[in-house]
Amino acid sequence: VSEFEVKVGAIPFFNFTPLTPFPYSGGLPFTIDGAIVSSADITPTADGKAWELYMDTVQIRGSNVPGLRRVLDDGLQLDSRQLASFLEQNVDGYTTPRPIFKTTYLSDTLRISRDQDGKVFVYAKVSDDTSTTD
């Protein structure tokens, strides 16, 4: 299970539309805060030097949007595997991504990993508590 905090804008980029007869790349005057909690199966790669991830579920918890937080914190989640199966059956050429992560540093509170493209991911453990907080 992986959990990380995010802050995102609420409106995506628009091209010309009936609502915006001009390109628009702004957002609402507030951000949406929360934590993305994902679960996955991990299996060692053939050489034993990295891990292959197979996503299972994704949840958003601790949203700052009134009303939405209750729905999300009550267990609403995306079943990534069910979605992947649907896409593989209905979209020509689609295969479910299974990223490869290689951990290059590990301590009790910090993990540094790289994906198959060399992108660096730094994870810091800030608590042993797994309950949702404000």
Side-chain angles (χ1 to χ4, degrees):
V1 174
S2 174
E3 178 174 351
F4 58 93
E5 295 178 15
V6 295
K7 291 185 180 199
V8 297
I11 294 182
F13 295 94
F14 290 109
N15 286 324
F16 294 97
T17 69
L19 297 174
T20 59
F22 50 86
Y24 175 74
S25 62
L28 295 176
F30 64 89
T31 60
I32 298 174
D33 300 346
I36 296 176
V37 181
S38 58
S39 64
D41 288 336
I42 60 171
T43 54
T45 56
D47 64 6
K49 295 182 179 181
W51 299 97
E52 180 182 80
L53 304 180
Y54 181 38
M55 293 305 300
D56 187 22
T57 60
V58 178
Q59 295 178 291
I60 308 296
R61 293 188 185 159
S63 172
N64 65 329
V65 177
L68 184 59
R69 179 179 183 149
R70 175 178 232 164
V71 171
L72 294 172
D73 286 351
D74 283 345
L76 180 66
Q77 66 184 15
L78 171 65
D79 183 334
S80 302
R81 291 183 187 171
Q82 185 176 13
L83 175 60
S85 177
F86 173 82
L87 292 172
E88 283 182 338
Q89 294 172 16
N90 294 285
V91 177
D92 288 336
Y94 180 83
T95 56
T96 301
R98 294 188 185 211
I100 304 295
F101 267 62
K102 182 176 185 176
T103 299
T104 55
Y105 177 81
L106 182 64
S107 73
D108 290 338
T109 58
L110 188 69
R111 179 176 73 224
I112 301 174
S113 298
R114 294 179 188 276
D115 69 5
Q116 67 276 0
D117 298 323
K119 294 180 182 146
V120 177
F121 294 81
V122 178
Y123 299 93
K125 184 175 185 178
V126 295
S127 173
D128 288 323
D129 186 1
T130 58
S131 61
T132 303
T133 59
D134 288 329

